[in-house]
Amino acid sequence: MVKRISHKNSSCGVARPLDAIGDGWTLLIVRDAFDGLRRFGEFQKSLGLAKNILAARLRNLIAHGIMDTIPASDGSPHQEYALTEKGRGLFPLLVALRQWGDDFFFEPGEAHVLLVDRMRGLPVRKLELRSDDGRVLGPGDTVVQPAPEQTAKKRK
Amino acid sequence: MVKRISHKNSSCGVARPLDAIGDGWTLLIVRDAFDGLRRFGEFQKSLGLAKNILAARLRNLIAHGIMDTIPASDGSPHQEYALTEKGRGLFPLLVALRQWGDDFFFEPGEAHVLLVDRMRGLPVRKLELRSDDGRVLGPGDTVVQPAPEQTAKKRK
DNA sequence: CATGATAGTTTCAAATTAAAACCATGTGGT
DNA sequence: ACCACATGGTTTTAATTTGAAACTATCATG
C-alpha cells in the first residue's frame, strides 16, 4: 500500500523520512496545516489539487503519524485534520525549504513573502547548523557516524 | 518538459522549490553529492534506482541549476556531477530532514547514524529558528509577510 | 421535500516510473 | 587488429501513479 523506496537505503536517516514526505504535495499540505487550515475543503481550495489525491495524501500523512483526525472543533459534523507532535517537528524543515526558495528562486526585484518574527515584525535569521560548542558548520564540517548504542532519546 | 504544480501556488516560497526537489529521489541524490559522490555509476550503485530515472533526475537537477556537469577531475573520459552554489544551499534542508528522521523514524534502541561535528566528533546541535534578536521561534511565533520592495539580495 | 454544501470514492485516460534490453564509447589484454 | 568488458547512458515496454470529472453519502437549510 505505502510506497517503498527499494532497498537498504530505506534505513538511512534521510531516505526514511522521504518515504513519508518526499512528494510534491505533502509538504504543501503540512505547510497549510501550520498556517491553520484544518478542513478537507480548505486544503483543497488552497492547493487546487484533485480531491482523490488530497484524500490519498491525508491518508498517508495519518498513516505516518504526521497528522491526525480530530472529531470537530466547531459544531460541524465533519472531522478536522491536525498536525501531531511529529508533524510539528517538520517546522525547521519547512523553514529551510522556504529560505532556500527565497534565496534561489526569486529574482532580486520579484515580489515574494518572507518569514518574520510575529512579535517584532522583523525577518527571522537564517537557519544555521552549529556544533555543540556553537561554531557554524558547513557541509564539509560534518560527518555521519554510528550513534552510540542504546542511549535513551531525550526529547523536549 | 518540467513538471509544473498547477496554479498560483507555484509562486509561493515553498511550492516553487518543491517543483525542483519535491520528489523521492532528488534529495537522496543531493545528499550523496554532499557525501562526495560524483559519477553516474556511483549514484546508481548507492541509491539502487533505475538508470533512466537517475538520468532524468540529474537532467532536472541541472536544469534547475542545483547540479552541474564538470568535465572530469581524474583522467577518466567521463563527466562528473557536482553541486552548484544553489545546490550547496540545500545543506540546512538536508540537515533538517535528517534531524526530523532521527527524532521520529527510529525506535529508541534502533541503530542509526547521526551527524557529528568533524572537528570534535560530537553531535551537532538541533537546528533552531531564531528571531533577529536571538529568541528561538516556534511555528506560532512567525508570520509570512510581503517582502519590502526592491531590496537587493545580499549573499555571502 | 428540494437544494446545496462538504467530504469524500469511483472511474478512466494520461503521465510517470521502473525494469530490462539495447547502444556507444573508451580501455586493456593478446 | 580483435575481443571482452566497464561506464554511461537511451529506448522500449509494462506497471503504477496521477489527475479530472462524475458520482455518492451525509447533513443543513429553506
Side-chain angles (χ1 to χ4, degrees), chain B residues 131-144:
Chain B
S131 65
D132 185 58
D133 59 341
R135 283 167 293 121
V136 176
L137 301 175
D141 303 320
T142 61
V143 208
V144 291

Side-chain angles (χ1 to χ4, degrees), chain B residues 88-106:
Chain B
R88 285 188 294 275
L90 281 168
F91 183 63
L93 195 153
L94 276 175
V95 172
L97 186 61
R98 179 186 296 278
Q99 292 187 338
W100 184 65
D102 286 346
D103 281 353
F104 294 101
F105 283 83
F106 290 87

Side-chain angles (χ1 to χ4, degrees), chain B residues 45-152:
Chain B
K45 182 143 45 79
S46 163
L47 298 173
L49 83 176
K51 304 195 317 173
N52 51 352
I53 304 298
L54 176 56
R57 291 298 173 278
L58 288 170
R59 257 197 302 276
N60 191 245
L61 283 166
I62 291 166
H64 277 95
I66 296 167
M67 297 187 82
D68 205 355
T69 54
I70 55 180
S73 70
D74 59 350
S76 104
H78 299 293
Q79 60 190 352
E80 303 188 336
Y81 298 90
L83 291 168
T84 61
E85 179 68 23
K86 183 174 180 177
R88 285 188 294 275
L90 281 168
F91 183 63
L93 195 153
L94 276 175
V95 172
L97 186 61
R98 179 186 296 278
Q99 292 187 338
W100 184 65
D102 286 346
D103 281 353
F104 294 101
F105 283 83
F106 290 87
E107 299 307 319
E110 195 178 358
H112 70 293
V113 299
L114 47 80
L115 203 60
V116 302
D117 165 19
R118 180 195 294 273
M119 185 176 152
R120 304 180 70 224
L122 293 173
V124 301
R125 285 191 192 168
K126 218 49 176 306
L127 283 179
E128 30 185 38
L129 180 65
R130 289 180 182 271
S131 65
D132 185 58
D133 59 341
R135 283 167 293 121
V136 176
L137 301 175
D141 303 320
T142 61
V143 208
V144 291
Q145 199 174 80
E149 282 290 340
Q150 200 58 339
T151 311

Side-chain angles (χ1 to χ4, degrees), chain A residues 41-94:
Chain A
E42 291 178 317
F43 290 112
Q44 208 224 327
K45 183 143 45 78
S46 162
L47 298 173
L49 84 176
K51 303 189 332 165
N52 52 351
I53 305 298
L54 175 57
R57 290 299 173 276
L58 288 171
R59 257 196 302 277
N60 192 246
L61 283 166
I62 291 167
H64 277 95
I66 296 167
M67 298 187 81
D68 205 354
T69 54
I70 55 179
S73 70
D74 59 350
S76 107
H78 298 293
Q79 59 190 352
E80 302 188 336
Y81 298 91
L83 291 168
T84 61
E85 179 68 24
K86 182 173 180 178
R88 285 188 294 275
L90 282 168
F91 183 63
L93 194 153
L94 275 176

